Amino acid sequence: MKVLYRILKWILIAFVVVSCALAVRRCHHQSQIPDSISYNQLQPLVDGQIQLVLFHNKKRCHQCLQMEDFAEEVLIDRFGRGMENKSLVFKTITIDEPESQGLVRQFGIFAATLMLMEFNDDQLIYARVLTRGPELYQEENDFKEYLSQELSEILPASDE
């Protein structure tokens, strides 16, 4: 019986070591997504640009169409100056396109997702998923207030 416990103990230790090694390998592999693949679609036009990005599937669902419509209305109605001077842009990215896979992997995107991103010297310096976007898409006023608040927190006052 004692021998059986020793064998089981070593099997468990080996399992834990192999699992840890595989986890480290996977994390290391995911962190090596080249910037040229990931940020190629984002291409900021001006230094300090803020981007509101809607990730969606090729087959558009009602949720992502609503979020896109409401987001465009908020940007035009409330943040027009930022849109005019290109310090704020809105982009949509199709997540099932091959050229989007770097971004999809890097940010863990798997469904309609809104993200705020800020760039400085063509480098991403800030990225945040707007987690409440998908849950508020059926409530136009709540969605627009939420998005306006999120944008106001990151945009310079002169762009609002």
Side-chain angles (χ1 to χ4, degrees):
M1 194 68 142
K2 203 173 192 181
V3 172
L4 182 60
Y5 283 126
R6 282 187 177 170
I7 292 172
L8 286 174
K9 178 177 105 176
W10 285 108
I11 289 173
L12 283 172
I13 290 172
F15 176 76
V16 169
V17 168
V18 168
S19 296
C20 289
L22 290 173
V24 166
R25 182 174 173 228
R26 182 175 181 167
C27 289
H28 180 71
H29 174 72
Q30 287 179 346
S31 67
Q32 291 186 345
I33 298 169
D35 287 345
S36 61
I37 292 172
S38 297
Y39 303 132
N40 196 27
Q41 291 175 284
L42 300 175
Q43 297 176 344
L45 301 174
V46 297
D47 196 33
Q49 186 175 68
I50 307 293
Q51 294 185 9
L52 177 64
V53 182
L54 173 64
F55 293 92
H56 62 81
N57 290 301
K58 275 184 204 172
K59 185 173 181 180
R60 305 292 300 272
C61 64
H62 177 69
Q63 177 184 5
C64 68
L65 292 171
Q66 280 297 114
M67 288 194 304
E68 183 175 0
D69 289 344
F70 295 159
E72 287 176 337
E73 289 174 24
V74 167
L75 294 174
I76 291 167
D77 295 345
R78 301 180 188 180
F79 299 93
R81 184 178 298 152
M83 297 288 287
E84 287 172 12
N85 66 23
K86 303 289 188 219
S87 63
L88 173 64
V89 296
F90 179 61
K91 294 185 177 184
T92 61
I93 294 180
T94 306
I95 62 177
D96 22 27
E97 294 289 337
E99 63 269 13
S100 303
Q101 293 311 297
L103 288 169
V104 168
R105 283 191 307 270
Q106 185 165 358
F107 295 116
I109 306 291
F110 59 89
T113 304
L114 269 174
M115 283 190 77
L116 267 179
M117 300 179 180
E118 182 176 3
F119 291 84
N120 194 3
D121 294 328
D122 292 333
Q123 296 293 316
L124 180 67
I125 60 170
Y126 174 86
R128 185 170 77 209
V129 174
L130 301 182
T131 56
R132 294 199 57 220
E135 77 184 47
L136 294 175
Y137 81 94
Q138 293 179 322
E139 304 296 329
E140 181 176 358
N141 291 333
D142 292 344
F143 180 94
K144 288 180 176 181
E145 280 305 311
Y146 168 67
L147 183 55
S148 294
Q149 179 182 350
E150 292 290 335
L151 287 166
S152 293
E153 289 176 11
I154 192 171
L155 279 171
S158 62
D159 287 342
E160 294 182 31

